[in-house]
Amino acid sequence: MEQMQANDLKVIPVDFNATTIPVSVRQTHPLVYEDGDAICCVLGPDPQRGIFGCGATVAAALADFDVHFNELLKHPIEGDPVSEFIRQRHI
């Protein structure tokens, strides 16, 4: 699966081992970054073709990501690399 590059983004480091973050985030390690006043995270080539979460805080962005992760996990898209990646990573 192709992952969005962090070029020119203000990346926010995340402790992917922290038990306070959603399991989906711990399993997939999405890119987390600032975008203006928002915090965003994406797993996949870009926000449109991947799983995207956004919020005013890191916790809010990760929670939004988790919602979209679970939606795609329940309704995978045939032939979609991101769907296949999360299906393989999900315990």
Side-chain angles (χ1 to χ4, degrees):
M1 178 201 69
E2 180 185 353
Q3 175 61 15
M4 187 170 125
Q5 298 298 308
N7 303 339
D8 301 321
L9 295 175
K10 190 171 182 182
V11 175
I12 298 173
V14 173
D15 177 4
F16 292 113
N17 295 315
T19 58
T20 56
I21 63 175
V23 172
S24 62
V25 174
R26 292 196 315 255
Q27 291 175 336
T28 61
H29 300 197
L31 175 64
V32 181
Y33 61 96
E34 286 185 40
D35 186 9
D37 292 336
I39 306 298
C40 301
C41 56
V42 64
L43 178 70
D46 56 52
Q48 294 76 31
R49 296 180 292 157
I51 302 171
F52 183 72
C54 198
T57 65
V58 171
L62 297 181
D64 188 44
F65 174 89
D66 188 56
V67 168
H68 297 289
F69 174 96
N70 286 305
E71 287 173 357
L72 188 59
L73 190 62
K74 288 178 186 172
H75 306 287
I77 300 167
E78 183 78 26
D80 174 47
V82 177
S83 292
E84 183 62 30
F85 181 81
I86 67 169
R87 196 170 41 209
Q88 292 173 355
R89 296 284 187 282
H90 189 69
I91 297 173

